[in-house]
Amino acid sequence: MNDRATNDSATDRSATDEGAANDPRPGSAPALRRLLDLLASGAATEDFADVLADARRGGAPAAVLSEIDDATWQALRVHRTLRQHRRREAELTALFDTAGDLAASRDLDAVLQAIVRRARMLLGTDTAYLTLPDEAAGDTYMRVTDGSVSVLFQTLRLSLGDGLGGLVAQTARPYATPDYRTDDRFHHTGTIDAGVLDEGLVAIIGVPLLLGGRVIGVLFAADRSPRAFSPDEVALLCTLAAHAAIALDTAKSLADTRAALAELNTANALIRAHSAAVQRAEQGHDRLTDLVLRGAEVPDVAAAVAGLLGGEIAVLDAEGEPLAGRAAPGSGLAEAAAASRAEGRSVPHGDAWVCAVLAGQEQLGTLVLRGRPDVDDADRRLFERASVVTALLLLLRRSVAETENRVRGELLADLLTAPGRDPAGLTARGRRLGVDLGRPHLVLVAEPAGTGGGTATATDRARLAGAAGRYLFGSKGISAEHGEAVVLLVPSCDGEPGDTAQRAAAQAAERLARLTGFPVTVGAGRPAAGPLALAAAHAEGQRCVRALQVLGRAGDGASAGALGFLGVLLGDGHDVGGFVRATLGPLLEYDARRGTELVRTLRAYFDCGGSLTRAKDELHVHVNTVVQRLDRVEVLLGRDWNHPERSLELQLALRLQLLSET
């Protein structure tokens, strides 16, 4: 079978060769080969006409020329088809590249720029651009341009229906014009025409970007010379516009997705934060409840809340004294606590938070949170709940202290009423109540200022008694109403007895006045131990209160040692030497150090009734010497040394000093 096929093929070739030999037009073959070469090399259209012209110049027969003319026409058709295929291939390549950009890029600007650039390249125009609608302004604006040189054109805005682009956006149909300047199909405006003129554009084509039948933009290509755009070019630009619409829709979907993810992340963060806050609040509630049930103290609550909130907690009493933590520095804390009390919530104070500790309308103290300026609502509620727990603990402590103080107050009342009846029994009874009467104590006698001689009202005494209990809250002191006054028994501090009593009396007067809201006079007896000595100290404190009232110092606090010569008269110890040293000390020291006679000069001056002349005769010195010595006395004792009250003290001290020397 193969041999037969071979023979048939050979026969066909022989017939072909024979026909070629008998062909009457052998001159057309070179021309045909030349046409094929031109097609293969992609020569210009003008080169094909040269083949027929060369054959005619070579004297080819008419039949050959006719055949060459037909072949040239066919070659031009093939050439045109190949050129269309190449252009279509380039267009498809550009479309594929654009689709690849859409798939690979998340940058909308980059994709739109690539589409506009390819539209300019494929259509061979001088420029290309894309406009998008501005829904807020109600017009369209230039989104992307390529090949533009005019800033005015690049910032051009088109209203709906104005110009070629406005008509495309309004009708959702493509429009092209070979010369925009003379085309009356479009509504020309001064702004648009000025921008087109500044860019130098003449021929313009615009196609809509359609998405679901809605125009979302317009894609343009334009030349700076007259040009008619073919249907293929319109179709190509429409395809690129479809890609641009897809890019815009994808970008919008991506932006919406990102926004949704951001919202979900935000919501998730809020949920996590809320869940953590709820869990922390639950832990805080359980922790605080456990502390209350276990009978914890205020410092324990402060430490627990500080751990839960991650800050530093300070608890202050009603007077601003710290009960736990460090006292908050700076001014304005009382105002912040008042604002918290008025609002019923915690309030910011600088970089801290303040919450009033309330029991009804009474402020028991203040909570201060530092180190957490960014307190959220959950932590703020936990901080406020801590103030409620603190108020409960303070009320419990006050209730216990008041109960204990009543029992101890009965001991104090019995001690002051009949100290000599059973001293040993009183001491043993005090020991059972946690009060060691065998150790030194200070007895403070407090009365409302200006109420001497039994004129204090029951209401004033009751308020003073309550204030005394709060003043001694947390200490080992006790208080009780006795007669017209309130008596406080507090452990004595180390140091000079007179100094201790004076400091305690002044401090008690100042604190009790703040707690009661009216002035309080406090007298202090010297430190004493044992029932009999404590009763005597109480009597001395009473005498100091009376002396303060007589001297017009109601609302003050003092001990016998601080009352000068009155203290010598009122005190049980009659510390003459201490009074002399306190009154004449600077003069005695100056005389001892300098060898002068200031004390003798002062005594002579008083003995002579303040007469300088008689004093100089008494001292046997010149009057100027007396004046100079008295000037030195004034420097050492103060300018009031010669005032009646002060001179009385000085004269008494001089007499006592003279007696002690004899």
Side-chain angles (χ1 to χ4, degrees), residues 106 157 480 564:
R106 293 295 180 265
R157 302 185 74 93

Side-chain angles (χ1 to χ4, degrees), residues 122-469:
L122 293 175
L123 269 67
T125 57
D126 295 323
T127 183
Y129 49 98
L130 185 145
T131 62
L132 294 180
D134 186 342
E135 296 181 359
D139 57 7
T140 60
Y141 66 98
M142 289 287 181
R143 182 68 168 81
V144 182
T145 64
D146 188 72
S148 173
V149 296
S150 169
V151 176
L152 177 62
F153 182 77
Q154 294 168 9
T155 58
L156 198 62
R157 302 185 74 93
L158 294 79
S159 299
L160 191 64
D162 291 341
L164 185 148
L167 187 60
V168 172
Q170 186 179 41
T171 62
R173 294 175 55 189
Y175 280 90
T177 176
D179 190 346
Y180 175 80
R181 298 168 298 181
T182 61
D183 199 329
D184 57 3
R185 291 178 301 165
F186 314 113
H187 179 239
H188 291 265
T189 67
T191 303
I192 297 175
D193 288 351
V196 172
L197 180 63
D198 193 55
E199 187 65 52
L201 300 181
V202 178
I204 304 175
I205 179 175
V207 297
L209 276 65
L210 296 174
L211 187 64
R214 183 169 58 92
V215 178
I216 62 172
V218 179
L219 178 62
F220 299 86
D223 258 341
R224 294 187 174 91
S225 58
R227 170 181 174 175
F229 293 97
S230 67
D232 289 342
E233 291 173 328
V234 175
L236 174 61
L237 198 61
C238 286
T239 304
L240 289 173
H243 281 79
I246 295 172
L248 288 169
D249 185 55
T250 302
K252 183 179 182 302
S253 300
L254 183 60
D256 292 343
T257 302
R258 287 173 176 169
L261 287 175
E263 291 178 359
L264 288 175
N265 289 334
T266 302
N268 190 30
L270 290 175
I271 291 173
R272 286 199 305 268
H274 179 70
S275 177
V278 170
Q279 183 178 5
R280 189 164 60 251
E282 181 180 358
Q283 292 175 350
H285 178 76
D286 294 342
R287 176 66 174 150
L288 294 177
T289 302
D290 180 65
L291 288 173
V292 173
L293 294 177
R294 289 194 294 106
E297 296 295 334
V298 172
D300 300 324
V301 173
V305 176
L308 291 169
L309 295 179
E312 184 179 351
I313 294 290
V315 184
L316 312 179
D317 63 12
E319 300 301 309
E321 297 297 324
L323 298 176
R326 295 187 299 109
S331 60
L333 187 59
E335 290 76 5
S340 172
R341 178 179 179 180
E343 296 181 16
R345 294 208 65 187
S346 58
V347 297
H349 176 60
D351 60 350
W353 284 80
V354 176
C355 187
V357 179
L358 301 175
Q361 294 300 317
E362 181 185 0
Q363 183 173 342
L364 303 178
T366 306
L367 254 64
V368 182
L369 171 63
R370 287 176 290 176
R372 281 292 308 277
D374 55 342
V375 176
D376 56 23
D377 289 340
D379 286 347
R380 187 177 181 184
R381 287 192 295 271
L382 178 58
F383 180 50
E384 292 164 355
R385 186 176 297 126
S387 72
V388 176
V389 174
T390 303
L392 177 60
L393 289 180
L394 291 177
L395 285 176
L396 289 175
R397 287 182 60 187
R398 179 192 290 183
S399 178
V400 172
E402 288 176 351
T403 301
E404 292 178 349
N405 194 60
R406 277 197 299 271
V407 177
R408 294 175 177 177
E410 294 174 359
L411 169 67
L412 181 58
D414 292 345
L415 184 148
L416 299 177
T417 302
R421 182 180 303 170
D422 186 11
L426 290 172
T427 302
R429 180 179 163 191
R431 192 175 294 112
R432 288 194 299 270
L433 296 176
V435 181
D436 186 1
L437 298 179
R439 298 187 60 182
H441 283 74
L442 284 174
V443 180
L444 304 178
V445 180
E447 290 186 6
T451 61
T455 60
T457 64
T459 301
D460 290 342
R461 285 197 302 272
R463 289 176 61 184
L464 182 55

